[in-house]
């Protein structure tokens, strides 16, 4: 009976071992030991500083971190590992001699989140090079010889948050990487320092949200000095962005083959930076973002009258949208003023102030609305037309009467005397001075019963006139003649 029991125990042991081997094979974990050139600790493999010309072939499939730095690797082909490393999240390949990477090299590591390719010999980043790494979050490419970055090199790398491209030979700014809503929607850090950038797309950079500009490092580049560049970095300095505050001394530009600090461009006579206000017209629809230096912050808006703006308020023209932006449905004059945004996050809190100026007219009015310039022009034209009508089309007795005989002194009326302040020189009169009649003297110094208050003449009274040779006594005109002077005859001074 004892031999049978021993035989039964042996069979049970062999069966248990077989089941264990079967489970290992089903899990896809090959029964291999740690590579001879590597140091293994659980799921971490360190093969650093071994002068390896190639990647070891026998890599366990459960490897989560693989360190191949400080070796002699020159090419990373598609078949660099025959085993699919689905658990690998960190791959270190820095300080090698890599000058070629296949576009299919990262197919065996689809869940990679951290990739270090720094300090190699890479010169270009070809199209779709990193497209297989859809879970990648950090990519280190600094200290290479990269001169060109293909526009499609980072397609589908939608989870990328930090990209280090410093200490290369890049001369064109890759705007497609940071443009809002473009290829890398979660990118918060782009290091382009110590390259060969001379010109920047300044208007496009100014439009970027603060959380992107806060991690956009551009120091140690031979940028061209001008006032627009100064205004850009002065704005970043005003906002206390890390990309400027951490490297103010290394932020310089080139002018006449000389280096100048961006904030010491006195020779250009650039104007000081001033924060601009938002501008709107009556009835406009406007959205003001709370431009914070970090994403995902909780935002609260306060009006100029220190009242909190609520998310949804019935019949209110000012509300806060879901992304924390301040939304105006129809801007009114009373909406103008300084609004304050209080942003609260896990790392820090931030307070922003935004001024809104509202113009008291619509930008695009109705058909019956005239803007100020048009109204002024129409007013001037109407004024000129009225003056011309007054001067040339006003009824005048002189034009309507036709040709009349010259009137004698006896027929002179009071109206003609009132319009003339000089002596009347009649060519038909004789040379005797007594024959003339000085209307100014007679009218300004009336005598007798015709004088009224303050020396004024009362209409209807007669004025004694000195007798002239061969002339009779003259009488003042009747009241109708006086009133006719002020009716329709223009008075020219």
């Amino acid at each position: 009976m004892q031999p049978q029991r021993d035989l039964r125990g042996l069979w049970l042991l062999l069966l248990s071992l077989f089941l264990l081997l079967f489970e290992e094979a089903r899990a896809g974990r090959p029964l291999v030991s740690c590579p001879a050139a590597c140091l293994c600790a659980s799921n971490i493999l360190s093969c650093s500083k071994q002068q390896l010309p190639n990647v070891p072939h026998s890599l366990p499939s459960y490897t989560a971190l693989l360190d191949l730095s400080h070796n002699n690797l020159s090419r990373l082909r598609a078949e660099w590992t025959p085993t699919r490393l689905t658990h690998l999240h960190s791959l270190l390949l820095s300080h090698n001699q890599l000058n070629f990477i296949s576009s299919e090299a990262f197919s065996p590591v689809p869940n990679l989140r951290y990739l270090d390719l720094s300090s190699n010999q890479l010169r270009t980043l070809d199209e779709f090079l990193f497209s297989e790494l859809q879970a990648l979050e950090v990519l280190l490419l600094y200290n290479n010889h990269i001169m060109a970055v293909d526009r499609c090199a980072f397609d589908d790398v939608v989870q990328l948050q930090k990209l280090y491209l410093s200490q290369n030979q890049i001369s064109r700014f890759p705007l497609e990487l940071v443009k809002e809503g473009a290829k890398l929607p979660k990118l918060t850090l782009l290091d382009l320092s110590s390259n060969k950038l001379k010109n920047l797309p300044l208007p496009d950079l100014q439009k970027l949200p603060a959380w992107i500009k806060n991690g956009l490092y551009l120091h140690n580049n031979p940028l061209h000095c001008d006032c627009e560049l100064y205004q850009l970095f002065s704005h970043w300095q005003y906002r206390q962005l890390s990309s400027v505050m951490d490297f103010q001394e290394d932020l310089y530009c080139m002018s006449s083959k000389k280096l100048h600090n961006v904030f010491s461009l006195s020779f250009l006579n650039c104007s000081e930076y001033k924060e601009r206000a938002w501008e709107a017209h009556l009835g406009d629809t406007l959205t003001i973002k709370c431009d914070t230096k970090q994403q995902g912050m909780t935002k609260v808006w306060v009006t100029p009258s220190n009242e909190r703006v609520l998310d949804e308020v019935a019949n209110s023209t000012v509300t806060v949208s879901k992304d924390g932006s301040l939304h105006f449905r129809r801007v009114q004059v009373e909406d103008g003023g300084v609004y304050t945004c209080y942003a609260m996050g896990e790392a820090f809190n931030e307070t922003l102030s935004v001024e809104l100026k509202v113009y008291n007219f619509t930008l695009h009015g109705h058909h019956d609305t005239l803007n100020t310039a048009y109204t002024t022009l129409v007013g001037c034209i109407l004024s000129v037309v009225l003056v011309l009508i007054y001067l040339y089309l006003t009824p005048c007795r002189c034009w309507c009467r036709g040709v009349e005989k010259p009137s004698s002194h006896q027929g002179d009326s009071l109206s003609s005397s009132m319009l003339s302040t000089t002596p009347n020189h009649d060519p038909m009169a004789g040379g005797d001075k007594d024959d003339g009649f000085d209307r100014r003297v007679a009218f300004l110094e009336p005598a007798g019963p015709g004088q009224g208050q303050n020396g004024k003449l009362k209409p209807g009274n007669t004025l004694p006139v000195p007798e002239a040779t061969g002339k009779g006594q003259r009488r003042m005109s009747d009241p109708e003649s006086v009133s006719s002077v002020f009716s329709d005859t223009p008075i020219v001074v």
Side-chain angles (χ1 to χ4, degrees):
M1 296 295 293
Q2 186 67 28
Q4 293 181 352
R5 291 180 180 178
D6 294 340
L7 184 62
R8 183 181 300 177
L10 179 63
W11 277 106
L12 290 174
L13 179 63
L14 293 175
L15 180 61
S16 300
L17 180 62
F18 175 77
L19 292 176
L20 179 62
L21 293 176
F22 178 77
E23 289 294 331
E24 292 289 341
R26 190 179 67 173
R29 180 177 298 180
L31 298 176
V32 295
S33 60
C34 181
C38 301
L39 178 64
C40 301
S42 183
N43 56 358
I44 299 176
L45 273 70
S46 177
C47 310
S48 179
K49 298 180 181 180
Q50 299 297 320
Q51 304 299 320
L52 298 176
N54 298 297
V55 179
H57 285 277
S58 55
L59 296 176
S61 60
Y62 55 83
T63 304
L65 188 151
L66 177 60
D67 185 1
L68 294 169
S69 62
H70 296 275
N71 282 292
N72 293 325
L73 306 178
S74 60
R75 303 174 73 84
L76 193 64
R77 302 180 181 275
E79 63 276 5
W80 66 275
T81 172
T83 306
R84 187 174 175 85
L85 306 176
T86 57
H87 298 277
L88 189 68
H89 60 74
S90 298
L91 177 59
L92 311 181
L93 291 166
S94 62
H95 295 279
N96 279 278
Q97 305 298 321
L98 289 174
N99 54 54
F100 171 79
I101 298 179
S102 172
S103 58
E104 300 177 355
F106 302 109
S107 296
V109 288
N111 298 317
L112 198 65
R113 298 197 303 270
Y114 184 94
L115 176 60
D116 188 358
L117 292 169
S118 62
S119 300
N120 278 283
Q121 304 295 323
L122 299 175
R123 294 184 178 275
T124 61
L125 300 180
D126 298 329
E127 61 178 352
F128 309 120
L129 179 59
F130 304 103
S131 296
E132 298 288 342
L133 301 175
Q134 299 182 9
L136 189 65
E137 298 176 357
V138 180
L139 176 57
L140 284 69
L141 289 164
Y142 63 85
N143 195 27
N144 275 274
H145 302 282
I146 301 173
M147 301 177 62
V149 179
D150 191 273
R151 294 179 180 272
C152 300
F154 299 95
D155 280 8
D156 300 326
V157 193
V158 293
Q159 300 297 326
L160 189 63
Q161 300 175 15
K162 298 180 180 180
L163 175 58
Y164 297 86
L165 286 168
S166 61
Q167 301 180 48
N168 281 287
Q169 308 294 321
I170 300 174
S171 59
R172 184 192 69 85
F173 183 86
L175 181 63
E176 61 276 2
L177 300 182
V178 296
K179 201 168 184 179
E180 191 172 11
K183 299 180 182 297
L184 306 176
K186 294 187 177 181
L187 189 67
T188 59
L189 189 148
L190 175 60
D191 187 0
L192 290 170
S193 61
S194 302
N195 276 279
K196 293 187 176 181
L197 297 174
K198 295 182 179 180
N199 298 299
L200 298 176
L202 300 177
D204 294 311
L205 293 183
Q206 193 67 282
K207 296 177 183 178
L208 293 176
W211 60 268
I212 291 182
K213 294 185 288 189
N214 188 58
L216 182 56
Y217 294 89
L218 297 169
H219 55 278
N220 288 332
N221 275 286
L223 302 171
H224 175 67
C225 294
D226 57 21
C227 290
E228 193 174 359
L229 181 70
Y230 167 77
Q231 292 289 335
L232 175 73
F233 289 120
S234 295
H235 179 209
W236 294 14
Q237 186 184 48
Y238 172 82
R239 289 295 312 275
Q240 299 288 302
L241 301 182
S242 300
S243 56
V244 170
M245 302 305 296
D246 295 345
F247 297 94
Q248 292 189 66
E249 297 180 356
D250 298 325
L251 196 60
Y252 57 79
C253 58
M254 294 285 293
S255 179
S256 301
K257 297 182 179 181
K258 294 182 179 180
L259 290 177
H260 302 272
N261 188 275
V262 171
F263 301 106
S264 301
L265 302 180
S266 57
F267 61 94
L268 293 179
N269 295 323
C270 299
S271 59
E272 294 294 330
Y273 172 78
K274 293 182 179 180
E275 188 75 6
R276 295 182 178 180
W278 286 74
E279 298 179 348
H281 300 80
L282 286 178
D284 283 355
T285 299
L286 181 65
T287 299
I288 300 178
K289 294 184 177 180
C290 186
D291 197 16
T292 58
K293 295 185 291 185
Q294 181 179 336
Q295 285 183 299
M297 302 183 75
T298 303
K299 303 168 184 177
V300 176
W301 283 93
V302 176
T303 66
S305 58
N306 293 325
E307 296 180 359
R308 179 176 175 178
V309 183
L310 302 179
D311 297 342
E312 292 294 338
V313 180
N315 300 326
S316 177
T317 60
V318 186
T319 57
V320 178
S321 57
K322 294 181 179 180
D323 62 349
S325 300
L326 192 65
H327 182 68
F328 295 83
R329 296 176 184 174
R330 293 181 60 85
V331 176
Q332 304 297 325
V333 176
E334 55 270 17
D335 292 333
V338 178
Y339 292 81
T340 305
C341 176
Y342 297 96
M344 295 161 284
E346 296 180 357
F348 65 96
N349 299 333
E350 190 175 2
T351 302
L352 299 175
S353 296
V354 179
E355 182 181 2
L356 174 62
K357 292 183 178 180
V358 180
Y359 295 102
N360 195 14
F361 57 89
T362 58
L363 183 60
H364 302 288
H366 301 288
H367 296 289
D368 57 348
T369 303
L370 300 176
N371 57 38
T372 305
Y374 184 71
T375 305
T376 304
L377 178 62
V378 171
C380 292
I381 294 176
L382 290 177
S383 299
V384 172
V385 171
L386 290 176
V387 170
L388 294 177
I389 292 176
Y390 180 75
L391 291 178
Y392 296 102
L393 299 182
T394 303
C396 179
R397 293 183 181 275
C398 298
W399 298 347
C400 301
R401 290 177 181 176
V403 180
E404 296 182 359
K405 293 182 180 181
S407 58
S408 61
H409 292 294
Q410 292 85 350
D412 290 338
S413 64
L414 181 60
S415 61
S416 62
S417 299
M418 294 179 66
L419 296 177
S420 176
T421 60
T422 58
N424 186 18
H425 300 281
D426 192 348
M428 300 301 296
D432 194 352
K433 294 181 180 180
D434 295 336
D435 293 341
F437 175 65
D438 191 347
R439 294 178 178 82
R440 182 185 62 177
V441 176
F443 188 70
L444 293 178
E445 299 179 2
Q451 185 175 358
Q453 294 181 355
N454 299 325
K456 295 183 179 180
L457 181 65
K458 294 181 179 179
N461 295 332
T462 59
L463 181 66
V465 181
E467 292 185 0
T469 306
K471 302 293 181 178
Q473 185 178 4
R474 300 181 61 186
R475 294 181 59 84
M476 289 294 295
S477 302
D478 54 7
E480 288 76 11
S481 178
V482 177
S483 62
S484 64
V485 176
F486 303 95
S487 60
D488 55 3
T489 305
I491 298 176
V492 180
V493 180

